[in-house]
């Protein structure tokens, strides 16, 4: 599906914000039919919680630290240094410094700050590749950004045409295509890197679900982008499947670090003490030899179980994370799910996002594998 070089901004807004409409319709169905299993949900269970938490799981509250003082992650230089070392020593990246790494409470807060920071700098247009996480799309709409879609489809589609802006721009790139467990193609990142070098454009990488490769491969392709022009979002609580804690971090150009940190603090204030202490534990676990691989192997085994039992008849072959995009065997009226309309892509009728960590979702799909 070719994409014209100069797309219609009105149509691009319609395409992006139709994803929000699809989420709203799904929300109404979830309220109206609470007994139908929701196979696409964002929560889940896994057997590695105590393994990941270690002694932190049993630490009394009074041992966390001062309960009467604010606990700012950005005022914790040890944490920022540990994050930089994680990227340099474990993830195989080079020259990531503590002066680039801003930790905070959750990826949603950073989505807000990333867009607000650009807005306050005078940026009024965002170019994007689908999908865009719905909270980011909501802020783009709320702040009144003009949006330009520069890819004809989600990156795992067979033919994807890119029409990047000819001049200096702001590009929003979500990697991986998380709902299907597929990294953005290396060739796509190479094209964006070359374009960024030629135009001096800023790229925001929503890497909330990065560092979740099923085979432990690293580094992430987007680490090749110009660090002086790139903002990256990483979320260890997603990597470890521990959503009850709030911890994410942004890797930002050093020249913007102070301004970005100040804005983030003004928007969101200080995180909780438990979240800050957990952040240290999370980085420690991710820096270990096995990191999050036990959880990734668990998700991979769940996928193989569904496939071998013919609980799904077709699937986009995943290689990271714990979401699967596939066509279930069970009739669609037996469950609720997020389909391609939630992500701005085309095709794949009957496919649904499946949370491989949700036992109720797995049971629902397995129970219906012999259905007509």
């Amino acid at each position: 599906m070719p994409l014209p070089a100069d797309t219609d901004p009105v149509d691009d807004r319609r395409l992006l914000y139709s994803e929000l409409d699809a989420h709203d319709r799904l929300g109404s169905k979830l309220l109206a039919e609470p007994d139908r299993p929701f196979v696409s949900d964002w929560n889940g269970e896994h057997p590695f919680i105590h393994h990941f938490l270690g002694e932190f799981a049993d630490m009394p509250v009074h041992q966390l630290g001062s309960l009467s003082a604010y606990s700012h992650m950005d005022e914790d230089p040890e944490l920022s240094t540990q994050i930089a070392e994680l990227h340099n020593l474990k993830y195989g990246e080079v020259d990531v410094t503590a002066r680039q790494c801003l930790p905070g409470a959750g990826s949603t807060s950073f989505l807000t700050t990333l867009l607000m920071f650009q807005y306050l700098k005078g940026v009024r247009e965002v170019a994007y590749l689908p999908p865009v996480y719905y909270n980011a799309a909501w802020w783009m709409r709320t702040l009144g950004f003009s949006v330009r879609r520069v890819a004809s489809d989600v990156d795992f589609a067979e033919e994807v045409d890119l029409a990047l802006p000819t001049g200096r721009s702001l590009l929003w790139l979500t990697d991986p295509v998380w709902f299907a467990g597929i990294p953005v193609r290396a060739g796509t990142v190479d094209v964006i890197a070359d374009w960024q070098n030629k135009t001096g454009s800023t790229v925001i990488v929503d890497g909330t679900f990065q560092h979740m490769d099923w085979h432990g491969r690293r580094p992430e392709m987007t680490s090749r982008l110009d660090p002086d022009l790139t903002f990256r979002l990483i979320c260890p609580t997603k990597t470890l499947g521990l959503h009850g804690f709030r911890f994410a971090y942004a890797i930002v150009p050093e020249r913007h670090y102070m301004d970005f940190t100040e804005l983030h603090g003004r928007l969101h204030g200080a995180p909780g003490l438990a979240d800050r202490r957990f952040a240290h534990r999370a980085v420690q676990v991710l820096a270990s030899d096995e990191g999050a691989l036990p959880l990734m192997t668990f998700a991979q085994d769940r996928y193989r179980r569904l496939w071998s039992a013919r609980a799904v008849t077709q699937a986009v072959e995943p290689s990271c994370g714990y979401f699967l995009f596939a066509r279930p065997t069970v009739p669609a009226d037996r469950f609720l799910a997020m389909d391609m309309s939630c992500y701005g892509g085309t095709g794949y009728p009957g496919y649904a996002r499946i949370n491989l960590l949700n036992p109720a979702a797995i049971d629902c799909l397995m129970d219906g594998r012999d259905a007509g």
Side-chain angles (χ1 to χ4, degrees):
M1 185 175 79
L3 190 72
D6 294 314
T7 57
D8 186 334
V10 175
D11 287 343
D12 288 347
R13 284 196 296 271
R14 177 181 55 80
L15 285 169
L16 178 59
Y17 302 144
S18 70
E19 300 174 34
L20 295 176
D21 294 337
H23 279 83
D24 290 341
R25 290 194 299 271
L26 175 62
S28 297
K29 288 182 180 179
L30 291 172
L31 290 174
E33 304 177 64
D35 293 330
R36 283 175 69 183
F38 179 37
V39 302
S40 307
D41 78 321
W42 27 85
N43 294 311
E45 302 174 13
H46 61 80
F48 308 104
I49 293 175
H50 276 79
H51 173 67
F52 288 156
L53 291 178
E55 295 180 355
F56 182 80
D58 302 313
M59 184 178 293
V61 171
H62 69 272
Q63 290 186 10
L64 293 174
S66 175
L67 303 180
S68 61
Y70 290 109
S71 187
H72 293 273
M73 287 192 193
D74 61 292
E75 296 177 1
D76 188 338
E78 181 183 354
L79 179 57
S80 295
T81 298
Q82 290 172 343
I83 292 170
E85 290 176 348
L86 172 68
H87 281 262
N88 291 324
L89 301 179
K90 176 67 182 291
Y91 293 157
E93 300 174 15
V94 294
D95 299 330
V96 176
T97 70
R99 289 284 296 174
Q100 294 174 277
C101 301
L102 174 63
S107 59
T108 299
S109 65
F110 278 107
L111 293 173
T112 308
T113 306
L114 286 163
L115 286 165
M116 185 66 76
F117 185 79
Q118 297 297 327
Y119 183 86
L120 294 176
K121 294 288 185 183
V123 177
R124 293 296 182 269
E125 181 178 83
V126 181
Y128 75 94
L129 284 72
V132 176
Y133 188 67
Y134 71 99
N135 275 337
W138 189 91
W139 275 108
M140 290 177 190
R141 183 175 66 182
T142 299
L143 291 172
F145 280 105
S146 174
V147 296
R148 180 189 298 190
R149 176 167 164 149
V150 299
S152 60
D153 212 332
V154 294
D155 199 67
F156 61 75
E158 284 190 15
E159 294 184 9
V160 180
D161 295 301
L162 288 180
L164 294 166
T166 56
R168 187 176 178 183
S169 308
L170 172 66
L171 178 68
W172 189 277
L173 172 64
T174 304
D175 177 56
V177 184
W178 81 96
F179 70 89
I182 297 289
V184 171
R185 294 180 177 107
T188 301
V189 178
D190 287 341
V191 169
I192 291 172
D194 183 61
W195 165 82
Q196 183 184 44
N197 291 334
K198 290 178 179 177
T199 62
S201 293
T202 298
V203 179
I204 295 175
V205 179
D206 178 3
T208 298
F209 285 90
Q210 286 191 343
H211 304 293
M212 300 170 70
D213 186 273
W214 282 359
H215 305 288
R217 287 187 289 262
R218 51 189 184 269
E220 297 285 352
M221 284 292 299
T222 53
S223 67
R224 300 182 185 180
L225 297 174
D226 187 338
D228 292 328
L229 295 170
T230 304
F231 295 74
R232 298 165 58 195
L233 171 59
I234 312 292
C235 187
T237 57
K238 293 286 197 302
T239 310
L240 298 173
L242 295 175
H243 310 321
F245 293 98
R246 305 298 295 160
F247 168 45
Y249 57 90
I251 302 177
V252 306
E254 285 195 18
R255 61 195 171 97
H256 293 308
Y257 183 83
M258 292 304 298
D259 289 344
F260 190 88
T261 298
E262 180 180 4
L263 177 62
H264 192 72
R266 290 189 181 279
L267 287 173
H268 308 292
L273 175 60
D275 288 324
R276 185 169 70 86
R277 288 298 301 270
F278 165 78
H280 284 271
R281 173 61 187 175
V283 174
Q284 178 186 353
V285 171
L286 292 173
S288 67
D289 289 342
E290 63 177 11
L293 271 178
L295 179 58
M296 298 304 104
T297 301
F298 182 77
Q300 186 176 19
D301 289 345
R302 279 272 174 88
Y303 163 61
R304 289 173 173 168
R305 178 186 170 198
L306 289 174
W307 185 258
S308 63
R310 299 185 180 179
V312 294
T313 58
Q314 293 174 293
V316 176
E317 185 72 24
S319 62
C320 65
Y322 37 76
F323 288 113
L324 168 69
F325 197 56
R327 184 197 294 270
T329 303
V330 61
D333 61 359
R334 296 192 190 177
F335 62 89
L336 292 172
M338 305 174 83
D339 60 16
M340 188 61 91
S341 67
C342 293
Y343 305 108
T346 62
Y348 297 91
Y351 278 60
R353 181 181 100 171
I354 298 165
N355 183 349
L356 295 170
L357 301 187
N358 181 351
I362 302 302
D363 290 345
C364 171
L365 299 179
M366 293 292 288
D367 289 346
R369 62 190 183 276
D370 297 323

